[in-house]
Amino acid sequence: MADGTKAVVDTSAADGAADEAALAAAIDELADGTARATAAGSPAEKDGRDGRDDSGEPAGAAPAATTPAPAAPAPAAPTTPAPGEPAPESTAPLSVSEIAAELASGDAAAGRTDPGPAAAAPAKRPPRDPQPTHDPRDTATLPQTLPAPQRRSGDMIGHRYRLEECISSTETFSSWRAVDEKLRRAVGVHLMASGHQRARKVLAAAKSAALLGDPRFVQVLDAVQEGELVYVVREWLPHASDLAKLLSDGPLEPHEAYQMVRQVTDAVAAAHRRGQAHLRLTPRCVLRTDSGQYRINGIAVDAALRGLTGEGSGEDAERVDTRAIGALLFAALTHRWPYPEDRYDLQGLPRNLREVAPDQVRAGVHKGLSELAARALLDHPPHHAEPITTPDGLARAIALMPRIRQPQPELPAFTSPPRHNTHALPTAPNPTRVVAAPGTAPAPVAAPVRRSGRRLRTVVKVTASAVALGAIGVASWQLVDSLRPGSTAVASPQPSSTSATPSAHAATHDPAPIPVKEALSYNPLGEKADGAASLAKAIDDDPGSEWQTNWYSDAFGSKPGTKEGTGLLLDLGSAQTVSKVTLKWSTATTAELRMPGKSVGNAQTAKPGDFTVLGKKAGTAVEYNLDSPVTTRYLLIWLTNLSKNPDSGPNPGKYQAFLGDVKVFG
């Protein structure tokens, strides 16, 4: 068993009957005189009992009633071991007395009184461990423990990987940061002795993890057994920080904790749907990249290196990984490890605290996230809440939560500029306003400023009265002149009150359209470009012409083997400030608007996790309005859910998307 204890069970009766029949046949041959004498002093067959039979007596001490052995007995034919059992040690054949002793001891163990071979029943074999600590077919002769291979910085592994720094080391394996001399890139390397019983399981776990192909996991690049060494090579993320380092300064903000648990849960749930489990999900395994994407390291491999199977604790793999995600969220919210031990630079909980939610450990914790962590971590959550035991169930619970939005950055305090008097008069000079330096209290307003204000209002009133009187006088003069006989004067039109009144609405800025230089197919999870023949139709300003994706037999992510999405990459030609993007689909489609992260060199070859999500919409006519404009050259439309084609049209029953028009605004 994984915890070191052995379970005792009986083997099948068929194996005992086969052994009994072989013994009876040997006695018949010896009674007929066809057997030859065994070599003098030959040891008895041990069969794992150290020279003793089932009754505990030495194998050569037969009862007195047994038949004496002939002078020259013939050697018994070797018995072929049962499938899946280790080959027995090579020993001399048993004598007649030894064979009879075997039968007699078998009868005594079965509780019978007739020692005769004719009435002999199948004897029970010694109990065996149903789950030995090693695989008898592959590793029966391998030691259970073997020290880690001794290597130094600068050593070459596989004539390709140069070791640089030892990251961690245990009794059985070591982990290194290395350089791939062929591709000139940093990699991570695990080293283990090939003679260790875990070596083959480590290789099998590494190969299965490499076939997973999910960009949310750190990729396994190579797994090789070379001579006395087994090494596993993985992707290295130089600019990523693990969760333990992120928690060194304190708990995460609610938005960041929500993003962490959502992304980690979605990735682990997808792995379980494909038959993979992590079994050792710790804060050291969760990495955050510069773009805010969380990636998981050590899928299946970390557990195999340490001999973890998920069965030693009595829990299945899904419950083990779900409980681990709950522990990660608990630590992110409280800055405490949810167990009594201090782990990963986090202080453990007091031993008298059991089955507590994060909001009972630290004040101000988000209520929804606290309940989620308790349901995933605890078998009996507070307030009689139902526990969550699978990653899929945890993903559904997160989807039902109200989305926690990222807090807006605090803007600097606004200081109004000094006012300037546009109607400067000699009697009303414009006073100079003094702006206090930051951090100092504003000076009180002096009394002369109030007197100047009153004087200015008085002057304005007098001036307005004079203007009004002048206008009345001019109008009266024109009226009198028009009443004179033969006068041809025409009264000048009076300005309307509406035209004289300034507009009360300030002019608003309309987003300006940004032309898209080129549309590119983005299909990193597929084998060929998606919809390559109709890419230009997405940006030709003609809603009638459509970009069509390839058709798919199943929805994205619906079952193991289906990819998570496909995309359309928009090239704006140069870095542009984008504030809005509109899409027009022929059928309901779910898509995310993304932009490349800072560390992305080539957007067309980057992975989906290297892009930052700006928004997610579903429908036929969608509009992405960005709260804060972004500056980028590339925009990615990442499709995560396609509609099913009707049975009467082309590609009936297949999943496909049709994009008629794309507009980008600055």
Side-chain angles (χ1 to χ4, degrees), residues 202-220:
V202 170
L203 289 174
K207 292 176 181 178
S208 63
L211 295 176
L212 188 60
D214 194 325
R216 294 172 290 190
F217 293 92
V218 176
Q219 302 298 303
V220 174

Side-chain angles (χ1 to χ4, degrees), residues 336 340 349-356:
R336 299 286 294 271
L349 295 179
R351 295 187 178 275
N352 58 350
L353 282 182
R354 295 180 180 272
E355 303 286 331
V356 294

Side-chain angles (χ1 to χ4, degrees), residues 85 130 133 157 164 178-179 215 279 303 321 351 378 392 456 504 521 534:
E85 295 183 1
T133 56
I157 303 297
E164 287 197 341
V179 174
L279 301 178
D321 282 348
R351 295 187 178 275
L378 307 178
D392 272 329
L456 179 61
S521 176
S534 56

Side-chain angles (χ1 to χ4, degrees), residues 274-405:
R274 299 184 182 183
Q276 290 286 347
H278 196 289
L279 301 178
R280 196 178 180 273
L281 196 57
T282 68
R284 302 288 187 194
C285 300
V286 178
L287 308 177
R288 184 183 184 275
T289 62
D290 291 341
S291 61
Q293 179 76 18
Y294 283 90
R295 301 185 65 182
I296 302 173
N297 183 26
I299 176 72
V301 177
D302 279 10
L305 286 170
R306 293 165 175 82
L308 302 178
T309 62
E311 294 143 356
S313 60
E315 298 177 338
D316 59 6
E318 288 189 332
R319 183 63 181 121
V320 170
D321 282 348
T322 305
R323 189 187 297 275
I325 297 175
L328 295 179
L329 182 57
F330 191 104
L333 296 174
T334 64
H335 197 234
R336 299 286 294 271
W337 189 239
Y339 300 103
E341 301 81 8
D342 296 344
R343 298 292 300 276
Y344 312 108
D345 299 330
L346 297 174
Q347 184 180 359
L349 295 179
R351 295 187 178 275
N352 58 350
L353 282 182
R354 295 180 180 272
E355 303 286 331
V356 294
D359 58 358
Q360 296 175 309
V361 177
R362 178 176 173 268
V365 174
H366 189 277
K367 295 296 183 182
L369 293 176
S370 175
E371 180 183 356
L372 191 71
R375 294 179 61 193
L377 176 63
L378 307 178
D379 293 328
H380 303 285
H383 311 298
H384 304 286
E386 183 180 358
I388 302 175
T389 58
T390 64
D392 272 329
L394 185 58
R396 289 192 296 268
I398 295 174
L400 294 176
M401 286 182 56
R403 185 176 181 182
I404 303 176
R405 298 187 176 276

Side-chain angles (χ1 to χ4, degrees), residues 215 522-525 569 596-597 599-611 636 638:
Y522 180 80
N523 190 22
L525 306 180
L569 190 65
S599 60
V600 174
N602 188 348
Q604 195 170 6
T605 59
K607 299 178 181 178
D610 297 332
F611 289 77
L636 173 61
W638 182 245

